[in-house]
Amino acid sequence: MTTVEPPASWGGNDLATLARSLGSPWYRLVGDLHDIIHVTTLRYASSRGLKNLFLPVTTRTVTCPTALGSDSEPVPVTVSGVNTYLADSMQFALEYGCRVAPGGCYTIMPSFRGEDPDETHLGQYTHSEAELPGDLDALIEYVTGYVRALAAAILDQAGDRLAATRGDVSHLVRMVETPGKFAEMSFDEAVRAVSDVAGTVRDEGDWRTLTRKGEQVLMRRVGEFVWVHHFDSLAVPFYQAFGDESRTTAKSADLYFGMGEVVGSGERHTGAEELRKSMALHGVDEREYAWYVRMKEDFPMLTSGFGMGVDRFLMWVLKHDDIRDMPLISRTGEPKPWPASVTRP
């Protein structure tokens, strides 16, 4: 076996560092996996009636930084004199897209979040997202089929190569061949399953979430592929539908495998009334999301959606432990000032 490893080309911006990526067997393999993921996503989504939409990479309404459980911040930019943000997700745009493509829609695009990169986080990453008509159960079924389709395509087109260069494809085989559904459990059940181990649950009083350690303990105890659903309402963004009459839980679900959370998903509020209640609960200023509320008023629709971090998925495929080695062109460690050789317009 000839093991292929990353050339450690992130974290610098000099020519010698960048040159280590050129011709690297690691990045040739990653590039080929990109193509398999793109083509398989298109085929799977199309077979389920979803349409691909072209969407802008800027937005005035960010998604993930609105949850108390989020450590991210929006990334502000100025484009043609307009103050806006780089999109942290296409979710709001895809919800809008479902009003013009009622069978559902999807994208694979970059997302941007103001957080420091580490072994499992990137500030700029590739996001495979979709929004489709139906409830959370329908979404879980769609995503389960999607990740299995990706694993099957990778096995078919690159399985021998991965076995020869990374030593193991049994995890891909298990994803494809695991009979029936993946394991599913509520967030409360997940907390009970791991709470005897210190450092597995972050408890802020009004809301809780699993730590990365908690995700790993849960997978060891429950299964290699685990859906956790109905998180505490305040731990997830305001746009996730309420999971019970007391509004203490949300119809959200994460799929854990590999390093932990790879897919985040949820059912959305159908109409404006429940959305406004959720905004009040989360302390969100409705004026900042006026168009979104108006859409729910004028075009109520039951949809659910998900986002899969492609770089995290590739970490699992390659059995690698550092997400910073995934992007073909790194944005980690870039100097914050403009280079002296560049004259800004």
Side-chain angles (χ1 to χ4, degrees), residues 317-338:
V317 169
L318 294 165
K319 297 184 74 69
H320 191 55
D321 59 1
D322 197 322
I323 199 170
R324 291 168 291 190
D325 291 313
M326 294 300 109
L328 292 179
I329 301 174
S330 176
R331 288 294 180 262
T332 301
E334 286 197 308
K336 293 185 178 180
W338 279 68

Side-chain angles (χ1 to χ4, degrees), residues 108-337:
I108 298 180
M109 291 183 65
S111 284
F112 305 84
R113 297 183 182 177
E115 54 187 329
D116 294 329
D118 59 25
E119 289 85 353
T120 60
H121 293 86
L122 291 171
Q124 301 180 34
Y125 64 98
T126 303
H127 217 172
S128 178
E129 299 180 86
E131 194 80 16
L132 54 148
D135 61 12
L136 186 62
D137 289 336
L139 183 76
I140 288 175
E141 184 272 330
Y142 180 96
V143 174
T144 301
Y146 174 51
V147 295
R148 280 178 164 156
L150 291 177
I154 290 169
L155 276 172
D156 179 58
Q157 299 175 50
D160 291 344
R161 185 175 170 194
L162 286 168
T165 58
R166 298 298 294 165
D168 184 21
V169 293
S170 62
H171 55 307
L172 292 161
V173 173
R174 288 191 296 274
M175 175 172 278
V176 173
E177 296 184 354
T178 297
K181 298 179 179 180
F182 295 149
E184 295 182 18
M185 61 197 316
S186 71
F187 176 72
D188 280 341
E189 290 171 332
V191 169
R192 290 195 292 270
V194 303
S195 58
D196 62 309
V197 180
T200 56
V201 180
R202 177 183 173 189
D203 190 339
E204 297 293 334
D206 292 332
W207 57 273
R208 304 157 298 163
T209 189
L210 295 183
T211 64
R212 187 73 68 217
K213 179 180 179 180
E215 294 172 357
Q216 290 293 324
V217 171
L218 186 69
M219 288 186 290
R220 287 198 297 270
R221 292 182 171 183
V222 176
E224 189 175 6
F225 314 108
V226 185
W227 279 105
V228 176
H229 55 81
H230 284 76
F231 287 79
D232 292 345
S233 287
L234 290 177
V236 300
F238 69 89
Y239 49 75
Q240 307 286 37
F242 293 125
D244 58 84
E245 291 186 0
S246 67
R247 305 189 187 110
T248 57
T249 67
K251 292 181 180 178
S252 57
D254 288 350
L255 176 58
Y256 300 152
F257 59 95
M259 49 71 64
E261 180 207 342
V262 178
V263 178
S265 67
E267 182 179 319
R268 320 306 186 193
H269 298 291
T270 300
E273 181 179 355
E274 289 297 285
L275 175 59
R276 285 193 169 104
K277 291 176 182 177
S278 184
M279 285 179 157
L281 182 67
H282 285 79
V284 173
D285 187 346
E286 181 181 325
R287 293 171 297 181
E288 296 181 5
Y289 296 87
W291 76 268
Y292 186 66
V293 177
R294 180 66 181 271
M295 180 180 73
K296 301 283 183 174
E297 283 182 328
D298 294 349
F299 301 95
M301 184 178 184
L302 173 61
T303 69
S304 301
F306 77 92
M308 182 187 80
V310 173
D311 307 279
R312 288 186 175 182
F313 182 81
L314 286 174
M315 283 177 66
W316 171 76
V317 169
L318 294 165
K319 297 184 74 69
H320 191 55
D321 59 1
D322 197 322
I323 199 170
R324 291 168 291 190
D325 291 313
M326 294 300 109
L328 292 179
I329 301 174
S330 176
R331 288 294 180 262
T332 301
E334 286 197 308
K336 293 185 178 180

